[in-house]
Amino acid sequence: MSWIALWDKQRHLFDPNGVANVHDTQPDDAPVSSRQLTRGSMVVETRVSPYNRPQTLLGMSSQSGSGFRLSLQAVPGGGVVLVINRGGRTAHVAVNLDTGGRADVLRVTYSWDVQANVGRLAVEQPGTWRVALRTLSRPIALTMAEVRECVQDAEARVLSSDLSFIAFSNRIEPIGPMPSLSEDTPVMTAQGYRRVGELKRGDVVQTPSGDLVPVLANLRRTVPAAGHFAPIRLRAPFFGLSRDIVTSPTQRLVIGGSRVEYMFGSEFVLIPAGHLLHGNAATSAGTAPLVTYCQLLLPNHEAMLAADTYVESMDVGRMRRRRDLLSASLLSGYPRQLLPEHARTAFPVLREFDSLTLAAQRAA
């Protein structure tokens, strides 16, 4: 069990046993425990206000009489401040991620472990390895009842209109680069196309040069199907796809050819799947509360052949230089001395308008 609650603009789900099979968005009046969760995480994804002033993302005041209050604010420049009160105790932590004024979406993760007496607040840009994090001692945990209030009781909370989703887990959720391909995505190997979910360390995949490169790890994670985790169906025959594939919005296609070079002055360009939703090349995929993605870690940041087009492999950047981030990521068990270092890609990332224009021309 992991994800126990999910709020977005269409759903407000809660189940102490997990929301994987929950589809009813109406509040459940059954009593839940008022004991604090020993371990857990709150994940919030939001757009950042362009205005040069603090922005309240989430405010909560429990209606149960427990005295629990929570405030999550964004401050200009990528900063986030979390304040939690329970009775006479206060936990306060601030994190600043220097976005350079370019990021319009941030993912915030607050995790706690009561037994270890430690907590963590992390702020990141989805689809990148850029993360800022701070630890705090004596964190304040939420109870099941407070989690339910946060996602289902409109009188107990104040939410920014810029919020994409709020999700709660009863685990310490990893941060940093995330998988972004559905498990059934066909990837070209030495044995032909195979489901990416079946691949393991030591298998090989094909790159644009025709070389076969080894898989170092296959990373897998189940996440809320919301925000920059919401699944997208990329439709064949756009971009040469021989069949539809499902990805997260942050998965990038690697597109080349003479038209690309003529239009953008580069041999290849990168197109985030999320940019294609307002055209014909992509559509939303499914309404389930959770989705499972996987992604391949290769020696270099590569493109690999999937359903007759090229998609990016996992980009871990220079994570190996940051012990704090590495230990909090999906790669925490990977030997640091063996972790590759990926240089910044040399290919431009297209904006949404350019992505849609190229999709229309490639399908014509």
Side-chain angles (χ1 to χ4, degrees), residues 277-356:
L277 271 176
H278 295 107
N280 297 318
T283 184
S284 297
T287 59
L290 305 178
V291 60
T292 298
Y293 294 118
C294 49
Q295 185 57 283
L296 303 180
L297 177 66
L298 306 179
N300 296 307
H301 179 213
E302 298 267 15
M304 52 192 181
L305 188 62
D308 291 331
T309 197
Y310 285 96
V311 299
E312 276 190 305
S313 64
M314 177 69 81
D315 180 8
V316 296
R318 295 177 171 84
M319 267 178 51
R320 61 180 291 174
R321 303 187 186 189
R322 292 190 53 186
R323 294 178 183 270
D324 58 345
L325 175 55
L326 183 58
S327 65
S329 74
L330 282 171
L331 287 159
S332 60
Y334 199 93
R336 178 172 171 269
Q337 66 275 16
L338 300 179
L339 185 69
E341 187 165 305
H342 293 159
R344 184 174 181 178
T345 177
F347 307 134
V349 180
L350 295 192
R351 296 169 298 178
E352 182 175 351
F353 175 80
D354 292 330
S355 299
L356 293 171

